Amino acid sequence: PYYLPDRLRAFAAKYPGIEVVVHEDTTAQLAAAVAAKEIDCALVSLPVERAGLEAEEFFDEPLLVALPAGHRLTRKKQPTLDDLEAVLAFVAAGWGVSIVPAMAARKPGKGDVCRALPGRSRPIGVIYRSGRPLGRATRALVDFLRTGK
């Protein structure tokens, strides 16, 4: 919901004859659908460990700490994992924080704050069936999603 809309709009402008159908699901369900030949490829957080699938990594997405306004960690420019372990009692009390991917943190709630979590990211890429070249349209989509061209 964060990465695809703008890119798919640009892809459709460049390749008006290619129809892209989007299915949103869990990584496990998407991997199963690719393996079962129900879909050609899936954009996922990597790694995906499943026999018969290959992956192409696009980029590493930073992970951020989402904090409510006024939380004590908003005063730190870069909270550490130790800081988050220390707030587990706050989570239990309903004053919790969350780790979110950077794409999801574009519009935090009013007053909410996101801080970088140094050295923490998740790889994003595409998976498809092994041993079978992607069709021309699917290869064009994969290449466009990776490069934006």
Side-chain angles (χ1 to χ4, degrees), residues 76-140:
K76 287 191 85 171
K77 291 285 185 199
Q78 293 186 333
T80 65
L81 282 180
D82 288 340
D83 291 325
L84 299 180
E85 289 161 7
V87 299
L88 289 178
F90 290 105
V91 173
W95 298 330
V97 300
S98 179
I99 297 175
V100 296
M103 284 185 268
R106 290 183 182 167
K107 296 182 182 178
K110 186 176 182 179
D112 292 345
V113 175
C114 289
R115 293 282 187 254
L117 193 55
R120 302 295 172 179
S121 63
R122 67 177 187 162
I124 302 293
V126 68
I127 56 172
Y128 49 86
R129 287 182 299 285
S130 299
R132 179 175 174 234
L134 293 175
R136 286 180 30 202
T138 305
R139 174 45 63 194

Side-chain angles (χ1 to χ4, degrees), residues 11-131:
F11 180 80
K14 184 173 181 177
Y15 298 97
I18 298 176
E19 180 183 9
V20 177
V21 179
V22 177
H23 299 274
E24 187 173 3
D25 211 327
T26 64
T27 297
Q29 291 296 325
L30 290 170
V34 171
K37 301 178 185 175
E38 295 168 3
I39 59 176
D40 293 326
C41 63
L43 183 70
V44 296
S45 178
L46 298 173
V48 174
E49 302 296 331
R50 187 179 182 105
L53 296 182
E54 290 184 40
E56 289 184 30
E57 185 174 327
F58 290 175
F59 60 90
D60 275 333
E61 178 183 28
L63 296 177
L64 308 176
V65 179
L67 305 159
H71 191 280
R72 69 178 180 82
L73 290 179
T74 61
R75 293 185 293 276
K76 287 191 85 171
K77 291 285 185 199
Q78 293 186 333
T80 65
L81 282 180
D82 288 340
D83 291 325
L84 299 180
E85 289 161 7
V87 299
L88 289 178
F90 290 105
V91 173
W95 298 330
V97 300
S98 179
I99 297 175
V100 296
M103 284 185 268
R106 290 183 182 167
K107 296 182 182 178
K110 186 176 182 179
D112 292 345
V113 175
C114 289
R115 293 282 187 254
L117 193 55
R120 302 295 172 179
S121 63
R122 67 177 187 162
I124 302 293
V126 68
I127 56 172
Y128 49 86
R129 287 182 299 285
S130 299

